[in-house]
């Protein structure tokens, strides 16, 4: 059944009518709903998901959303009730199917835009809602830290291993996605020609003057070790996938939805998706546009690769970064420090999770999705997120340096 949902997710961009036909049959057969019409909404933010509207025979119109996770090993997702009980401002579904391979949440129709759409409009010149978004984001992050405080507890290793959020990180590294995307013999098209992933994964990088001693293979190996699910540690009740596509702009506040990976897990894992996707990832959502706006070069000398580019984050992205870091990350780390729960390798742990976002959310070798320049930018960002820059500091390392200074 999960193959059908994955087929619908991919087909929505190339044959929307056929995808809608498959989804109508799925809803009738699986959820036993008397659906007479389905309208998919193919969106840039729908990297591993689909959403849209359905109409029932009685005339009622509803909104639906699902997340597709190939190679999933978990049996149940969507712990929406747990988030509501913890105090999250979250839109509750009226129907839900949480079984693996059949995950779908159905809501009353939502008229408000997502924060993703509002921020993208701001980035493209419409700053109408900039101040309201800043206020709403700050308030949401203040509320998030209070939820962290009220739910923070020590989690045994066996319970930690069952957290759905690991599907976005460790299980993508070890469950098949890494091998399917980046097997050594796989070709990737970059601005100076095609290369095998074997060569790419052993390269040593210099990116805009930032030197990195670790290769992609080094970063992968460290991430697999650090992100192992079965380890005791601090845990909070978290959304798990709270990027801007999963938050509604319901003025004057913001509202979460689509808790596909909600549960009790480490707060650093909970912060990873918003820290990366809301700030650094617009190239992933709009690859053609960003390719046209970005100048990027690659020079190779054996295994030494030098990349220069002028990709920069818009001030609205800095808004998201500063709010999340100052209002949630720093105070959370301080609380862990006070309880003696902050591990010495917290920074490497967070960076390993951040690495998974540019490297494993989408397949950078997919020439139908990514122009060569954007594939290279994705690789460069994977290194920046997962490895430590030497000399010139990357934006993420500058930010984490400031975090460490705040803790001392």
């Amino acid at each position: 059944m999960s193959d059908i949902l994955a087929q619908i997710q991919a087909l929505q961009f190339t044959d929307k009518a056929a995808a809608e036909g498959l989804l109508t049959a799925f809803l009738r057969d699986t959820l036993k709903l008397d659906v007479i019409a389905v309208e998919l909404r193919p969106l840039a933010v729908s990297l591993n998901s689909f959403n849209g509207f359905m109409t029932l025979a009685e005339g009622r119109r509803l909104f639906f959303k699902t997340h597709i996770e190939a190679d999933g090993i978990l049996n149940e997702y969507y712990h929406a009730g747990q988030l509501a009980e913890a105090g999250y401002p979250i839109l509750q579904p009226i129907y839900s199917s949480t079984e693996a391979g059949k995950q779908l949440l159905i809501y009353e129709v939502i008229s408000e835009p997502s924060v993703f759409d509002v921020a993208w409009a701001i980035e493209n010149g419409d700053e109408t809602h900039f101040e309201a978004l800043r206020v709403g984001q700050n308030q949401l992050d203040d509320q998030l830290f209070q939820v962290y405080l009220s739910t923070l507890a020590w989690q045994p290793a066996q319970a930690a291993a069952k957290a759905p959020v690991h599907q976005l990180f460790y299980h993508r590294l070890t469950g098949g996605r890494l091998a399917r995307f980046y097997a050594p013999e796989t070709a990737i098209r970059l601005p100076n020609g095609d290369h095998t992933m074997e060569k790419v994964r052993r390269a040593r990088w210099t990116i805009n003057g930032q030197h990195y001693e670790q290769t992609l293979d080094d970063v992968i190996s460290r991430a697999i070790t650090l992100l192992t699910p079965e380890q005791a540690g601090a845990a909070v009740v978290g959304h798990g996938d709270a990027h801007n596509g999963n938050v509604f702009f319901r003025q004057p506040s913001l509202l979460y939805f689509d808790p596909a990976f909600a549960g009790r897990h480490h707060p650093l894992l909970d912060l990873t998706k918003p820290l990366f996707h809301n700030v650094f990832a617009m190239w992933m959502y709009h690859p053609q546009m960003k390719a046209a706006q970005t100048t990027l070069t690659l020079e190779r000398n054996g295994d030494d690769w030098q990349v220069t580019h002028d990709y920069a984050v818009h001030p609205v992205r800095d808004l998201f970064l500063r709010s999340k870091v100052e209002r949630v990350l720093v105070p959370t780390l301080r609380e862990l420090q006070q309880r003696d729960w902050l591990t010495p390798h917290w920074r490497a742990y967070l960076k390993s999770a951040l690495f998974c976002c540019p490297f494993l959310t989408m397949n950078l070798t997919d020439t139908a999705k990514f122009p060569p320049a954007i594939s290279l930018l994705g690789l460069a960002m994977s290194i920046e997120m997962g490895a430590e820059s030497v000399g010139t500091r990357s934006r993420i390392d500058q930010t984490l340096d400031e975090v460490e200074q705040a803790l001392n």
Side-chain angles (χ1 to χ4, degrees):
M1 191 66 69
S2 59
D3 290 342
I4 293 176
L5 296 181
Q7 186 178 355
I8 292 168
Q9 195 279 332
L11 200 58
Q12 66 177 327
F13 297 104
T14 58
D15 192 341
K16 185 167 170 282
E20 289 170 343
L22 286 174
L23 181 56
T24 300
F26 172 84
L27 292 169
R28 289 172 178 169
D29 295 343
T30 303
L31 298 184
K32 309 303 180 186
L33 294 173
D34 193 3
V35 178
I36 60 172
V38 165
E39 178 191 345
L40 282 164
R41 300 192 310 162
L43 301 172
V45 74
S46 301
L47 301 179
N48 291 286
S49 65
F50 62 78
N51 70 76
F53 302 96
M54 69 174 73
T55 303
L56 303 183
E58 65 190 44
R60 194 178 185 190
R61 194 163 183 257
L62 302 172
F63 175 78
F64 61 84
K65 175 106 189 281
T66 188
H67 185 102
I68 308 301
E69 188 66 24
D71 310 309
I73 69 166
L74 303 172
N75 294 320
E76 189 172 350
Y77 298 79
Y78 294 109
H79 298 145
Q82 190 176 17
L83 292 185
E85 292 171 7
Y88 281 86
I90 184 164
L91 188 71
Q92 291 280 53
I94 57 175
Y95 299 107
S96 62
S97 173
T98 62
E99 182 182 346
K102 302 178 183 179
Q103 308 101 297
L104 192 80
L105 295 187
I106 301 173
Y107 303 88
E108 299 287 357
V109 169
I110 305 157
S111 59
E112 289 86 355
S114 69
V115 174
F116 179 93
D117 291 334
V118 174
W120 184 239
I122 292 170
E123 187 163 339
N124 284 279
D126 181 2
E127 297 195 359
T128 304
H129 298 298
F130 189 98
E131 182 59 20
L133 181 59
R134 183 189 66 79
V135 172
Q137 185 65 57
N138 289 346
Q139 290 176 344
L140 189 70
D141 286 335
D142 288 342
Q143 189 170 1
L144 178 61
F145 176 61
Q146 291 305 313
V147 172
Y148 280 9
L149 277 182
S150 66
T151 63
L152 182 61
W154 190 260
Q155 186 176 44
Q158 188 174 8
K162 298 177 182 177
V165 76
H166 297 302
Q167 192 65 61
L168 299 173
F169 306 108
Y170 181 82
H171 297 314
R172 286 181 173 177
L173 285 164
T174 62
R177 183 174 290 206
L178 175 65
R180 285 189 294 107
F181 285 6
Y182 306 121
E185 67 275 11
T186 301
I188 185 169
R189 183 156 296 169
L190 302 177
N192 65 345
D194 289 356
H195 304 269
T196 65
M197 283 305 303
E198 181 180 17
K199 291 182 180 178
V200 172
R201 287 171 60 166
R202 74 183 185 214
R204 297 195 181 276
W205 300 73
T206 301
I207 304 166
N208 287 346
Q210 310 150 19
H211 180 67
Y212 294 89
E213 296 292 342
Q214 292 177 297
T215 67
L216 275 172
D217 272 338
D218 293 333
V219 174
I220 290 167
S221 178
R222 184 174 76 164
I224 291 172
T225 298
L226 291 178
L227 298 176
T228 299
E230 192 169 353
Q231 52 182 314
V236 296
V237 173
H239 184 285
D241 194 23
H243 61 77
N244 284 340
N246 286 335
V247 184
F248 283 118
F249 185 60
R250 178 171 283 181
Q251 295 192 65
S253 59
L254 307 183
L255 185 69
Y256 295 102
F257 83 115
D258 192 31
F261 302 96
R264 180 167 284 282
H265 47 249
H266 199 284
L268 291 179
L269 291 184
D270 199 58
L271 290 171
T272 296
K273 293 296 288 289
L275 280 174
F276 180 79
H277 284 269
N278 297 351
V279 180
F280 299 100
M282 288 306 103
W283 58 269
M284 188 183 296
Y285 297 107
H286 299 283
Q288 301 298 331
M289 180 183 295
K290 289 301 181 182
Q293 296 172 349
T294 304
T295 300
L296 188 148
T297 62
L298 168 63
E299 296 181 7
R300 289 181 57 231
N301 182 12
D303 288 338
D304 293 324
W305 291 32
Q306 183 168 317
V307 176
T308 58
H309 66 80
D310 58 3
Y311 182 87
V313 300
H314 186 274
V316 74
R317 308 296 159 194
D318 190 64
L319 178 162
F320 296 127
L321 180 63
R322 300 320 311 177
S323 182
K324 200 68 71 180
V325 167
E326 294 171 4
R327 296 172 181 271
V328 189
L329 178 60
V330 170
T332 298
L333 292 174
R334 282 178 176 152
E335 182 66 24
L336 295 180
Q337 197 174 50
Q338 289 173 5
R339 299 191 189 199
D340 201 24
W341 290 357
L342 185 62
T343 61
H345 61 266
W346 70 264
R347 178 174 179 146
Y349 182 80
L350 175 58
K351 293 204 69 171
S352 291
L354 287 167
F355 158 73
C356 294
C357 296
F359 198 60
L360 290 167
T361 299
M362 300 292 289
N363 185 354
L364 297 176
T365 72
D366 183 356
T367 56
K369 176 73 175 178
F370 295 115
I374 297 303
S375 293
L376 180 58
L377 182 62
L379 292 173
M381 283 219 172
S382 300
I383 286 290
E384 289 185 27
M385 292 299 128
E388 281 289 331
S389 51
V390 178
T392 302
R393 299 294 270 166
S394 66
R395 178 63 188 279
I396 189 62
D397 284 341
Q398 290 176 30
T399 300
L400 294 180
D401 288 347
E402 293 170 4
V403 171
E404 289 191 325
Q405 291 170 9
L407 297 179
N408 295 327

